[in-house]
Amino acid sequence: MKKLGLITLTVLFIAVGANAQDVPNSNSDYLNNLNTISTSVPFLLIAPDSRAGAMGDVGVATSPDHNSIHWNASKLAFLEDDKGASISYTPWLQDLVPEISLSYLSGFKRLNSKSTLAGSMRYFSLGEIQFTDNSGQPISKFNPNEFALDGAYAMKLSENFSAGLAMRYIYSNLTGGINVQGGGVTKPGNSFAVDLSSYYQSDNFEIDNKDSYWAAGFNISNLGNKISYTDAGEEFFLPMNARIGSSLFMELDDYNSVSFAFDVNKLLAPTPPVYAVDEDGNPVYDENNEQVIEAGQDPNVGVMQGVFQSFSDAPGGMQEEFNELMFSAGIEYWYLKQFAFRGGYFYEHETKGNRKYVTFGLGMKMNVFSLDFSYLLPATQGVRSPLANTLRFTMLFDMEAFYATDKQN
């Protein structure tokens, strides 16, 4: 049954990827149009840690670690350590603006053999911006910033299955309260969101006489109210996201082990429709002065309607819905349980952002702390990534080992 479950899940993922380009649709005229889904606070989707960043941004079903609160909070229940913490740093657009970066701090504490509490904070600094008026004259300078505070709880519902809940406060200050002509006084955006997740880890079984196990995970993240930056302005969806994935771990011998992981992602925000225009290219309005939609659905809906609508509102039909899926694959090899070598690949369709990149990295585990590094190379010619040619790092602390070492000294 364990092998059958692994094979079934693997075949399902392969089938999704293989058939994504062959799904029938009735709106092929719109399929070649660039039609990306825009949301507020996209920093919430940036991989905060170097381990996942080195494996193509997989993480929903990889083995639990200190940063599981971001990828799948329910994995926290399977952590073996009693407590731990980690800190990560990610330069952003390093080749252009050296002041932009993402910092991430996380920690966890086991309550008992079945449940774990965790918390994290991410801070996104956007450097310094010079505001100007309509004539280009300087007005003021400001350092935009965004941050999110998380709290999570994970519990084992059985020896193999766990569920998790994460709650998040989001703060986004992009303008510093500047008065925008025609838009009024701006303000920081605030929102609350939750993550709902589950994780399954099989019992050990053998593959070619090698101890192995497989895991599967599911996480819906950033479910929360919209953000607005003015009192009467437009409201923007959070980057609500559904992530499902699986992994396979194999103990090759006493010194070597390897794991493979695969994730599929989909944004749960409405797809922009195609609006009708007249012969001169001007927008067409109905009797309520609303712009007429030629293909797709109205994106100005409530949060929950937007979530359900996101599965069927693409102007290009089901073919475009499948184009909105993002795929990640990664591999992790450990030697002596001390040295890790990682690699991965991320794929996004050309009409949905065209992010394609290869990642790799290293890890080194010591008694009290571990160090992870990752590097990203764009795989699409002419398309640059904000993380291109950037070295990211994560340091993880085993607090239990730290206290034990301190007592010995």
Side-chain angles (χ1 to χ4, degrees):
M1 288 298 294
K2 297 165 185 172
K3 292 184 178 180
L4 179 60
L6 172 61
I7 294 171
T8 301
L9 194 56
T10 303
V11 170
L12 173 62
F13 285 146
I14 294 174
V16 169
N19 291 326
Q21 304 301 321
D22 300 315
V23 178
N25 69 86
S26 57
N27 296 303
S28 57
D29 292 341
Y30 307 107
L31 285 175
N32 294 325
N33 296 338
L34 180 63
N35 194 22
T36 58
I37 300 174
S38 298
T39 67
S40 62
V41 291
F43 80 102
L44 293 177
L45 295 180
I46 301 173
D49 63 298
S50 297
R51 181 196 179 199
M55 298 174 64
D57 292 355
V58 297
V60 74
T62 51
S63 58
D65 65 10
H66 299 53
N67 299 295
S68 293
I69 188 173
H70 171 78
W71 299 101
N72 183 347
S74 60
K75 295 196 301 181
L76 295 164
F78 282 83
L79 284 167
E80 296 180 356
D81 296 334
D82 181 65
K83 59 178 92 61
S86 74
I87 184 170
S88 303
Y89 179 76
T90 301
W92 192 256
L93 288 172
Q94 182 176 338
D95 294 342
L96 300 177
V97 187
E99 298 175 347
I100 301 180
S101 63
L102 174 69
S103 302
Y104 186 70
L105 177 67
S106 67
F108 71 90
K109 174 68 174 71
R110 291 192 61 86
L111 301 179
N112 50 52
S113 61
K114 291 188 176 182
S115 57
T116 303
L117 277 177
S120 69
M121 180 185 73
R122 76 184 68 203
Y123 179 78
F124 192 45
S125 172
L126 295 165
E128 185 178 88
I129 290 181
Q130 174 71 64
F131 291 110
T132 61
D133 58 22
N134 290 337
S135 61
Q137 297 301 313
I139 300 176
S140 62
K141 292 183 179 181
F142 181 64
N143 293 89
N145 62 88
E146 301 175 306
F147 68 83
L149 299 174
D150 296 4
Y153 175 75
M155 181 177 182
K156 279 188 178 182
L157 303 180
S158 71
E159 289 302 312
N160 303 100
F161 182 76
S162 65
L165 170 68
M167 295 178 290
R168 178 169 301 114
Y169 169 69
I170 305 160
Y171 176 87
S172 175
N173 190 356
L174 302 179
T175 62
I178 193 171
N179 192 341
V180 179
Q181 186 173 0
V185 178
T186 59
K187 65 175 184 178
N190 295 270
S191 183
F192 290 91
V194 298
D195 296 356
L196 305 174
S197 59
S198 61
Y199 176 71
Y200 176 85
Q201 183 172 299
S202 75
D203 294 327
N204 287 356
F205 58 92
E206 290 190 353
I207 298 179
D208 194 23
N209 296 321
K210 297 176 176 60
D211 286 339
S212 310
Y213 71 83
W214 72 277
F218 177 70
N219 184 28
I220 296 179
S221 59
N222 303 316
L223 283 172
N225 56 295
K226 298 180 184 180
I227 278 185
S228 177
Y229 295 94
T230 60
D231 288 332
E234 183 180 358
E235 294 183 323
F236 303 92
F237 281 94
L238 297 179
M240 299 178 292
N241 183 74
R243 182 188 298 268
I244 186 172
S246 182
S247 67
L248 173 66
F249 173 86
M250 298 176 63
E251 191 84 39
L252 303 179
D253 53 41
D254 292 339
Y255 306 101
N256 303 275
S257 63
V258 65
S259 61
F260 307 89
F262 183 73
D263 285 5
V264 180
N265 284 272
K266 187 185 189 310
L267 282 172
L268 302 180
T271 304
V274 174
Y275 291 99
V277 296
D278 59 21
E279 296 178 354
D280 298 323
N282 298 316
V284 177
Y285 294 91
D286 59 20
E287 62 277 6
N288 298 318
N289 202 33
E290 298 287 341
Q291 196 167 352
V292 175
I293 294 175
E294 182 178 302
Q297 299 181 34
D298 185 2
N300 298 313
V301 295
V303 172
M304 292 312 300
Q305 183 176 341
V307 170
F308 291 107
Q309 179 176 305
S310 67
F311 292 96
S312 60
D313 63 351
M318 289 307 299
Q319 174 71 67
E320 186 174 348
E321 293 292 345
F322 274 91
N323 290 346
E324 292 178 355
L325 298 179
M326 294 165 278
F327 302 92
S328 302
I331 182 173
E332 181 178 52
Y333 165 79
W334 279 95
Y335 176 67
L336 291 175
K337 297 182 179 180
Q338 287 186 298
F339 304 100
F341 303 89
R342 305 180 177 109
Y345 180 74
F346 179 92
Y347 172 87
E348 181 180 57
H349 195 268
E350 291 82 355
T351 61
K352 297 299 175 178
N354 202 24
R355 290 178 299 164
K356 301 181 181 69
Y357 46 81
V358 176
T359 61
F360 54 90
L362 301 172
M364 181 172 57
K365 186 175 183 180
M366 302 179 187
N367 184 37
V368 175
F369 66 91
S370 302
L371 284 172
D372 292 331
F373 302 91
S374 67
Y375 199 80
L376 181 149
L377 292 175
T380 304
Q381 192 172 21
V383 178
R384 299 190 63 183
S385 167
L387 291 172
N389 306 316
T390 297
L391 183 67
R392 295 187 276 176
F393 78 87
T394 297
M395 180 177 288
L396 301 93
F397 300 91
D398 183 345
M399 306 305 294
E400 194 171 2
F402 174 79
Y403 290 133
T405 302
D406 187 57
K407 289 180 179 179
Q408 290 177 3
N409 295 333

